Structure formats: C-alpha cells, structure tokens
Amino acid sequence: MTTDSGDAGTGVSPAPDSHICNTLQHFWVLDVAVQTPAHSALGNLLSYASTVPMPPGTLVRVPLGRREVLGVVWACEERSGDEGTRELKAVAGALDALSPLAEGWRDLVAFAARYYQRSLGEVALAALPPQLRDLTSQQLARRLKRRATSASTPVDAGLSSQDSPRGAGQAQSGPGSPDLAAETDVAHAVEPSAEQAAALARFEAETGPFLLFGSTGSGKTEVYLRAVAALLARDHAAQALIMVPEINLTPQLEARVRDRFEARFGAGAVVSLHSGMTNPQRLASWLAAHAGQARIVLGTRMAVFASMPSLKLIVVDEEHDPSYKQQEGARYSARDLAVWRGQREGAKVILGSATPSLETWHHSRPADGEDPGGRYVRLAMPGRIGDGALPTVRGVDMNLQPPKTVLSGALLDAIGQRIARGEQSMVFLNRRGYAPVLACADCGWKSECPHCSAYRVFHKIDRTLRCHHCGFTERVPRACPACGNPDIAPVGRGTERLEEHLGELFAPVKRSDGSPVRIARIDADSTRKQGALAQQLAEVHSGEVDVLVGTQMIAKGHDFRRVTLVAAVNPDGALFSSDFRAPERLFSLLMQSAGRAGRDANYLATQGSTAEMWIQTHHGSHPLFQALKRHDYPAFAKQQLDERRVAGMPPFAFQALVRADARTQETAQDFLHAANAAADALPHAAQVMRYPAVPLAIQRVANVERAQMLVESASRVALQRFLADWQPLLHALRREPVGKGVIRWLVDVDPHAI
C-alpha cells in the first residue's frame, strides 16, 4: 500500500468535507488501483477512506488531484477512530450495481503488471471498457436494469444488430438444452476427419495446455468449435474465449462462430471485443461477459483481460502472430497471458498454428532421452481436409532474370493460365504504397521525412508523400526541392505500383466470358474507409477478382476457395535482418501465404488444376526456402532453435529492452548509460548481461530520438528480480539532471523486435 501527498490524491486536503476523519469510531481504508500518470512513481495502490466496507474488485470513483477517476478496490481494511493521525480522502462513490471483479481477474492483472514492469492501475484500468470511466453509479444501474428487462432490443450500451439479444418469442435452445445443442452442432458440421477426431480425443482426455499444430487447411477452426460446443453442452454456465490476431482479418471465423452458436444460445451468447468497436459496443460486450450472459467472447489481444467469471476454455488462433504482443503502454503478450490465465483459473488452453512461434514449439517438444519434454501437449494435424495436397512451391531464381524484372515470364504465364480457367491468383508484397521513395537522379535528393529518420512513401493514387511512422503527409512536389529538376522518379515498388503493373500486363487479356481481367489490391491504404475490407473480400469470394495484390493482410486467416496460385514477389529482405526473429517471421508469413492456395480440393479436381506457391528470390538455396519447398516446419524450427541454443537467444535466454526517448540521441543514450551504471550494485546484476545503448533501427520518429539497451539472462527469475530492483533507480534517474531531457522511458519484457 502506498499513501501519497495531497496533490497525488490521498493525503491532507483543504476540503474537509471530502475526508473521513479519524474521529469516527469506525471506517474502512481501501487500497485502490487507479490510472496514475506514467512514471509518476506514485506506487501501485492509493489509499482512500469509506464509511462502509467494499469487497475487493468493486469499481469506485475516487478523487485524484483535481479530477475524479475510476478505480478498482484491491483491499479493504477496517480501522478504528484512534488509529492513525492523518485524514484520507473519501471514496466519491461505488459502481455497486456491478458485481465485483473476480479474484482470478485481479490475479491476472497483478501478474501482468508485475511481469511486464507496469503499474497495477495502468494495467487494470486499460483492461476495462473506456466508457465505464464516464458513467456514474446511477447511470450504470439504469443501464444494467434496462439490459436485464429487455430481451428483444439491443441494449442501451450500443450493441449492433448482430450483437442484440434474440427476441423472446423466437425458438432457441438455452444452456439447459445440451441434447439439442449436440444435435444443432451435428447439423452445422460435417463428420470430423480422423486427425480432427484424434486431436479432440486427446484434448478431452488431457489437461494441456495444448499446441494444435495443423497445416493450413487442416481444419483447426472446426476443432476449436467442437471443443467449445462440447464444453457448453457439458457445463451450463461455462464460458469460452476465442482470440484472433486481428478481428478485421478473420471475418469468416467470426461468421462461423456466430452461425454455429447464436442459433442455439441466442445472439447475446456470442460477443466481440476489439478496438474497432465503438465504446458503447465494447461496454455492452464486456458487461455481457462479466455477467456470464455471453457464453463465447471472440476478440483480439485485449480480450485476454475480459471479465469472464466462468471461463473454462481459451483458444488462441494463429498463436505465432506478432499482433498478440502489445506495442504501446503495457507491452504484454496476450498469448502468454492466456496460458497463465488458463492455469490460474483451471481453464483449458489451445494454441493453434500451422507455423507456431519457436517458443511455443520448444515448449511442446516431446520427451527425448534426458530431455523431459515441454510443458505443452502437441496435437498434430498434418493433412488437409478432403485429402487436398499442399501447394507445390516453385522458386524463381531472380539472378537469371533480366535486370529490373518485376514478375518473371514463367510466373506471368502461370497467372495467365489461371485467368483462362477462371481461377484466382494472389500476389504478395509486404510493402504498401506506390514506391518506398521518390528520388532525383541529378542531385541525389530523396523523399526523406523531416521528422523521422525514414523516407516518405510515394502514394500515386492521391499524389502524396506519406511517412508511415509519424503520418506526416505532403503533396508530391512538381520538381526536385533541392535542385529544381522536374524529372523526379519513384524508386522501388509497393503494392500500389505492383497493382498498376499487373493491370498494364493483363490489359490485352480477356476472361472466358470476354470481360476484362480484374486486378484488386488489399492493404492498409485500400481499406481505410468503413466497410471497405468486407466489400473487397466479398468481391474476391464471389469470383469477381482474378488477381489479388496485397500485403500480409491477405496472408492471414482467409479461406479463398478459388485461389490456386500464390506468389511472393520480393521476400529476401528479412533473410539478413539484424533482428534474430526475422527469419521466423518470414517463414511463417510465406507458409501462411502458401496456405491460401488450393484450400478446396473439390474445386481443384473440378478445374483439373493444382495449387502452387511461387517465390521470386535471389537466394533460392537458403535453408529457409528449402524447408518451405517441403512444407517442413519442423526442419526449419530445428535449424533455428539449434542456432539460438548456440547463441544463447530465446527461448534459451530471456530478454528485456529498456528504451529512452528524448529530443537528442545523446540525451537518450546518456540516460541509458547512467541507468546501466546504477544497476551495477543491484543484487542480481551478475546474472544479467547488459549490452551498450544503441539507437533504434529507425532512431527518430516525430522529432523524438530513440535509444535502447538490451538486457538478457539465462534465468527468467533473475531477470525479473533485476528489473523489479532497477525500477526505483530508473524513476530516481528521471528526476536527476541526466534525466531532465528525457521525454519518456519504458521497459519491454520479452520484446518481439530488437
């Protein structure tokens, strides 16, 4: 417990009517988690007084400085009037219409705050729907009352029509109808394959956690849904959490979940939680989960903190995806927290992927000799549904192509054959925009961002130069700003330029019905408008699109039944990155991309076609591409893990980054050097390797210079204790002269990018 000065919100204040005096015979001291300013060093909990006891987990409104903020009661202790000599600020009110947050939820928040080196209040308040902060106790009570009494219209909190409860007059089976539930499930789903049945049998028989290692198209989603269906039929109060990397990229999964379960339990039984929802929608979903009315929560990484009192199953789909790692504020891994939460609350956990993260793969290794094996149970599904074949991987040696070749003749011919047969192709390039840079050949000027150490990308569609780091945008100049040369030209290629190039190449070609070839692009630029992504995906599914160009957005989670060819245009950049995780991410992305081809074996048989993945590379003999040709993830993982074991890198070591942002690079690095020196005296310093401070790869963003220092240990416990001891020193340094020019500093535990 921390008690602080008056301006922090807990000490003596000149407003006596807002205090509980020690002259009262009895009062209660509440330790409350609130969202304190970043790096304020106020401590994890602030103390307030109340005339009535409040159980831990109660949401309260409390004064903090001159504001009134939302907080969560963490502890409540009775005091007599003669204890203490101070006055405490009083709790302003309690949202007591809402049942307290459960102990399991509070334990999850406390663990996340402790492990990721953030304040308790920061994690707790970020895990709650934002609209709760604006509601009074009376407003929330009225909202909950309307929610309880209205079963035929969307709740006041703003659910969309697809989230609204089913009308009372409509026939539906409820939690008390497990037999009907089982019958409905059979009606929705075909008989499981032998691999699916085996995976489900082991899942039911063992405790896990489980890694469902299934190839793309093996039917992992059906395993998830059957596991959920069995749980809900068996336990009338149970809840399941299904997590996806990015909700907008998995519309088919969301549709399947709703189709499978809403008819059985009502529309209110399935809710979504993700950042794309409005605040009222998020609040409505959160309240449904908290009350136990929502049996299934489908969400992104934020959903790992959903209040679900009867949580019995957690699914983390595409567990390898970097999107599960939060990159702002508390930099938590939702996947890792899901595993921890499952163990704490006795819920089974399924991590699913065709290309698991190397950490998860290592944790699921079978026992071998003296190696006792990993902590996870590996469930393998190597085959595709319907005995479909994985796509043949074809390499194109770009060293043998003419200079400046974008798409080889062989690849263009293969795409043309697909168009003639009415099939679809996907061309993958993980760089949006028209060109990564605009340049002047006369004087060497390039379209650098004035606020970042990066180039502004040329977007031809709106004739702008746009920085993808700070957002700074300007119109394309008519001539070189440095020398006046009117002949400034794009250098390199992005998805926008690739779309244009394909359109030009296939302009003379006609489809079988005589209509022109349709080229479409899906990336962050083409899907900015509301509903744009859904419309574009619908056009692909309907067969209106012949060639789809895009970034990694098209590589994840989509079930394009007519796609028979996928091509990766320029994947070599990640092979030689300074980030040791880059090859892992590249292999995963390419294998996931390949998995979009040939997912419908019946369609391939009807067309008399085969699925192919084309890779244009200058390094075809690289082990990564050789493993990809064989669809051999285990071989790739073994090679990478052997290298990491020798180098002492994760998962054989544990890392954290300490980053400092300042107006100058010198100031940022000086702060880190001072922090490094101060750490010498810490008890666990000898067990932790500290590397010198260096600039980030993109060291300046929005006129802020960024530097980082890597710390590493062979012991997770030693690293955690070291970081916990280091925190007070970092807070103190910020107040010393060496920290005056520092804008902010942060600790990133288990970083995904170095």
Side-chain angles (χ1 to χ4, degrees):
M1 183 179 73
T2 302
T3 29
D4 301 274
S5 61
D7 59 354
T10 59
V12 179
S13 168
D17 58 349
S18 66
H19 290 71
I20 304 296
C21 296
N22 59 8
T23 55
L24 291 177
Q25 187 174 2
H26 287 287
F27 65 97
W28 282 263
V29 174
L30 307 180
D31 293 343
V32 180
V34 298
Q35 181 105 42
T36 52
H39 305 303
S40 60
L42 287 183
N44 274 334
L45 298 170
L46 304 183
S47 296
Y48 294 88
S50 172
T51 56
V52 295
M54 296 184 188
T58 302
L59 293 178
V60 292
R61 301 197 68 82
V62 295
L64 182 65
R66 298 182 179 181
R67 299 176 296 134
E68 189 177 279
V69 299
L70 184 68
V72 182
V73 175
W74 225 257
C76 177
E77 181 182 353
E78 186 177 8
R79 296 280 181 89
S80 60
D82 58 356
E83 289 185 73
T85 58
R86 297 188 311 106
E87 294 180 338
L88 296 177
K89 281 191 175 181
V91 170
L95 303 185
D96 50 10
L98 197 67
S99 58
L101 293 156
E103 182 182 9
W105 184 90
R106 301 196 308 275
D107 286 350
L108 172 69
V109 167
F111 170 78
R114 184 171 62 251
Y115 186 82
Y116 293 105
Q117 303 294 315
R118 311 297 293 197
S119 74
L120 194 63
E122 178 186 12
V123 177
L125 272 296
L128 297 175
Q131 199 175 30
L132 269 181
R133 305 177 191 183
D134 303 324
L135 295 179
T136 66
S137 179
Q138 294 77 13
Q139 289 171 327
L140 180 61
R142 287 196 299 268
R143 188 158 298 196
L144 292 171
K145 184 177 180 180
R146 285 196 298 270
R147 182 181 180 84
T149 57
S150 175
S152 59
T153 58
V155 296
D156 178 68
L159 279 174
S160 62
S161 58
Q162 68 176 4
D163 292 325
S164 62
R166 190 176 295 272
Q170 290 178 266
Q172 65 181 65
S173 59
S177 309
D179 294 335
L180 181 55
E183 292 171 9
T184 308
D185 191 57
V186 171
H188 273 84
V190 297
E191 192 70 19
S193 69
E195 290 180 355
Q196 289 173 326
L200 284 164
R202 286 196 68 187
F203 171 76
E204 292 294 339
E206 302 183 45
T207 57
F210 301 90
L211 166 63
L212 183 59
F213 172 52
S215 65
T216 53
S218 63
K220 294 186 291 295
T221 301
E222 185 61 28
V223 173
Y224 305 153
L225 299 186
R226 285 182 174 270
V228 171
L231 168 69
L232 300 190
R234 182 171 61 246
D235 186 336
H236 301 167
Q239 295 175 292
L241 171 62
I242 302 177
M243 295 173 58
V244 293
E246 299 174 57
I247 200 77
N248 288 333
L249 304 188
T250 53
Q252 291 161 117
L253 175 58
E254 185 173 11
R256 284 183 67 178
V257 172
R258 294 189 181 281
D259 182 56
R260 183 72 63 91
F261 296 103
E262 283 186 340
R264 201 183 325 164
F265 299 112
V270 180
V271 300
S272 297
L273 270 178
H274 57 86
S275 58
M277 302 169 72
T278 65
N279 285 344
Q281 287 174 330
R282 281 176 61 180
L283 176 61
S285 294
W286 187 90
L287 290 173
H290 178 71
Q293 296 164 347
R295 307 293 302 283
I296 301 169
V297 173
L298 177 65
T300 51
R301 61 175 177 260
M302 69 164 61
V304 76
F305 289 110
S307 176
M308 303 176 69
S310 300
L311 181 63
K312 294 293 186 291
L313 172 63
I314 304 175
V315 173
V316 185
D317 189 32
E318 308 293 2
E319 65 84 29
H320 65 276
D321 198 288
S323 298
Y324 283 119
K325 174 73 169 175
Q326 171 78 343
Q327 295 299 328
E328 298 293 335
R331 285 164 161 73
Y332 62 86
S333 166
R335 177 200 63 204
D336 296 347
L337 288 181
V339 174
W340 192 94
R341 185 175 189 180
Q343 293 172 336
R344 165 61 181 81
E345 301 196 32
K348 287 191 174 183
V349 178
I350 306 176
L351 310 177
S353 179
T355 54
S357 67
L358 290 180
E359 286 83 357
T360 298
W361 185 255
H362 181 67
H363 291 326
S364 69
R365 68 192 185 280
D368 182 19
E370 296 182 0
D371 188 346
R375 299 180 289 115
Y376 302 167
V377 177
R378 187 183 298 173
L379 309 175
M381 297 198 310
R384 276 188 155 184
I385 291 295
D387 297 322
L390 290 167
T392 301
V393 178
R394 302 187 181 279
V396 177
D397 188 349
M398 297 304 288
N399 296 300
L400 304 179
Q401 299 296 316
K404 298 183 179 181
T405 296
V406 179
L407 298 168
S408 68
L411 174 56
L412 290 172
D413 182 60
I415 293 175
Q417 292 177 30
R418 261 65 183 182
I419 294 173
R421 292 197 297 262
E423 300 168 16
Q424 294 173 318
S425 301
M426 266 177 47
V427 183
F428 167 73
L429 175 63
N430 210 20
R431 178 184 289 156
R432 60 190 173 99
Y434 188 85
V437 65
L438 208 59
C440 172
D442 283 3
C443 71
W445 172 88
K446 293 183 177 64
S447 55
E448 294 180 356
C449 176
H451 311 296
C452 306
S453 51
Y455 294 114
R456 285 175 292 165
V457 176
F458 172 42
H459 290 257
K460 186 177 180 180
I461 195 167
D462 57 2
R463 301 293 299 175
T464 61
L465 292 174
R466 190 182 310 157
C467 179
H468 289 176
H469 300 280
C470 74
F472 178 68
T473 303
E474 282 186 330
R475 298 288 296 172
V476 173
R478 294 181 179 275
C480 174
C483 70
N485 173 27
D487 190 19
I488 51 177
V491 177
R493 196 171 299 271
T495 50
E496 189 183 327
R497 191 176 189 184
L498 184 58
E499 176 192 23
E500 179 185 89
H501 183 61
L502 282 164
E504 293 169 350
L505 291 172
F506 287 103
V509 180
K510 300 296 181 183
R511 306 172 75 177
S512 57
D513 61 1
S515 61
V517 171
R518 171 84 184 276
I519 313 291
R521 169 171 53 92
I522 293 182
D523 56 26
D525 298 316
S526 69
T527 57
R528 289 183 186 276
K529 294 182 180 179
Q530 185 74 22
L533 177 59
Q535 179 183 343
Q536 289 174 310
L537 290 175
E539 291 172 351
V540 177
H541 288 297
S542 68
E544 295 177 43
V545 174
D546 298 293
V547 182
L548 177 62
V549 178
T551 57
Q552 62 182 1
M553 289 183 70
I554 63 174
K556 303 178 185 179
H558 299 297
D559 191 17
F560 300 127
R561 311 305 287 181
R562 304 185 189 196
V563 169
T564 59
L565 181 148
V566 174
V569 173
N570 185 23
D572 290 348
L575 294 177
F576 309 103
S577 169
S578 59
D579 187 346
F580 71 91
R581 295 184 192 274
E584 176 186 0
R585 287 195 290 267
L586 176 61
F587 186 88
S588 173
L589 196 54
L590 292 176
M591 200 160 180
Q592 293 287 334
S593 300
R596 301 314 108 200
R599 296 177 70 86
D600 190 335
N602 292 330
Y603 178 76
L604 286 174
T606 302
Q607 296 291 105
S609 184
T610 57
E612 294 181 343
M613 168 71 168
W614 288 66
I615 300 176
Q616 296 193 156
T617 174
H618 290 86
H619 306 279
S621 61
H622 194 283
L624 184 150
F625 294 129
Q626 294 303 309
L628 188 68
K629 284 184 177 181
R630 302 189 302 270
H631 298 278
D632 195 348
Y633 173 82
F636 169 77
K638 182 181 185 304
Q639 179 260 332
Q640 286 289 302
L641 286 170
D642 286 346
E643 287 185 5
R644 292 193 188 183
R645 184 182 289 107
V646 172
M649 291 180 175
F652 307 101
F654 306 94
Q655 297 178 330
L657 281 174
V658 182
R659 201 180 92 188
D661 295 353
R663 290 300 176 194
T664 68
Q665 185 66 212
E666 182 182 16
T667 301
Q669 291 200 33
D670 285 348
F671 177 80
L672 294 178
H673 291 322
N676 194 10
D680 288 338
L682 294 177
H684 299 278
Q687 296 174 265
V688 177
M689 169 71 74
R690 286 165 281 148
Y691 293 90
V694 295
L696 268 70
I698 300 177
Q699 69 179 57
R700 189 177 81 258
V701 172
N703 293 322
V704 173
E705 292 283 342
R706 311 182 302 168
Q708 66 182 21
M709 180 169 61
L710 177 67
V711 293
E712 186 178 76
S713 177
S715 166
R716 189 193 299 272
V717 173
L719 179 62
Q720 280 289 310
R721 290 175 177 171
F722 172 82
L723 293 174
D725 292 341
W726 204 11
Q727 283 272 359
L729 301 183
L730 290 167
H731 282 298
L733 278 174
R734 179 72 189 280
R735 296 188 292 269
E736 294 181 5
V738 72
K740 293 299 182 184
V742 174
I743 298 171
R744 56 186 165 265
W745 59 269
L746 60 90
V747 177
D748 185 359
V749 180
D750 299 336
H752 271 212
I754 297 177

